[in-house]
Amino acid sequence: MYTMSELSPQRAAVLAFLRERVGQGAPPSLAEIAACFGFASRNAAQKHVQALAEAGLIELRSGQKRGIAIPGVEPDALLSLPVLGRVAAGLPIGPDIGLERQLRLDRGLFALRPDYLLQVQGDSMIDDGILDGDLVGVHRSSVARNGQIVVARVEDEITIKRLERSASGIRLLPRNPAHAPIVVAADADFAIEGIYCGLIRQG
């Protein structure tokens, strides 16, 4: 069995990365390990992971895409999430992105693990229970299913709405009859920034 001092610098760095991610409750996939260290393929990441497992420094759980565990490292029950700015539940507003503060929250509050929080401004999503001033958790993703609540960028402005894709194009739907849908023009600079995964209501 290897000790930490006997590992190559690169393998020790991979182990440190795994310990950090497992401690956060988010074991990485082979693709994420490869991307983090600039490996040409997942096979290179697999070799490092397998060697660490054979050395007894990590445990692999068969049949799980992210089945990496570290002996003695228990996942933190709390998430440390940055509050990055504001998101409009109404007309889109400028993203006002910039780290405002960091919050530690119970991961059980969210259906999907969020990467960051945004503060809602406006009332267009009240029928989905998303109110002005709420902090919404956002899971970074450039894709979403039809009907999901998404954080989207339209021409450098950020908004939270339900996604509707149809043969006629894309609309961002409010959940308040006082607000009209946002019709995304075919030539618009449009991107899905993330998927809504829960909220925190501030006292």
Side-chain angles (χ1 to χ4, degrees):
M1 180 179 293
Y2 290 98
T3 64
M4 283 291 291
S5 62
E6 294 173 317
L7 294 176
S8 69
Q10 186 175 60
R11 193 154 290 168
V14 171
L15 178 59
F17 174 67
L18 296 179
R19 289 180 67 89
E20 178 183 6
R21 289 290 299 272
V22 170
Q24 293 171 349
S29 65
L30 291 175
E32 289 170 342
I33 298 169
C36 178
F37 289 93
F39 299 149
S41 70
R42 291 187 299 175
N43 288 340
Q46 174 69 44
K47 288 179 181 178
H48 284 288
V49 168
Q50 196 62 46
L52 291 170
E54 291 171 0
L57 296 171
I58 68 173
E59 296 173 355
L60 299 180
R61 294 169 179 166
S62 61
Q64 297 183 28
K65 181 180 178 183
R66 300 172 184 270
I68 297 173
I70 310 288
V73 176
E74 293 297 326
D76 191 342
L78 297 177
L79 295 171
S80 182
L81 297 172
V83 180
L84 294 183
R86 296 176 298 160
V87 61
L91 296 176
I93 59 173
D96 191 26
I97 295 300
L99 180 61
E100 294 184 353
R101 61 191 187 280
Q102 199 93 9
L103 295 179
R104 287 179 63 78
L105 301 169
D106 187 334
R107 68 179 62 250
L109 294 170
F110 302 97
L112 185 66
R113 189 182 191 278
D115 293 297
Y116 57 90
L117 301 167
L118 291 173
Q119 185 169 3
V120 172
Q121 181 171 319
D123 64 358
S124 76
M125 296 298 288
I126 58 174
D127 286 352
D128 274 336
I130 300 172
L131 308 183
D132 184 53
D134 287 346
L135 290 174
V136 294
V138 183
H139 176 76
R140 283 194 183 93
S141 176
S142 60
V143 296
R145 298 190 309 274
N146 200 32
Q148 279 189 304
I149 300 175
V150 299
V151 171
R153 176 173 51 80
V154 185
E155 303 291 354
D156 294 326
E157 297 181 321
I158 302 293
T159 190
I160 181 168
K161 295 287 184 292
R162 281 195 178 270
L163 177 68
E164 180 188 79
R165 296 184 188 271
S166 68
S168 59
I170 297 172
R171 296 197 306 165
L172 300 174
L173 305 180
R175 295 287 289 156
N176 179 340
H179 291 262
I182 296 171
V183 178
V184 180
D187 61 350
D189 181 11
F190 168 78
I192 295 170
E193 298 289 343
I195 299 169
Y196 166 78
C197 49
L199 63 80
I200 302 297
R201 184 147 297 147
Q202 303 185 91

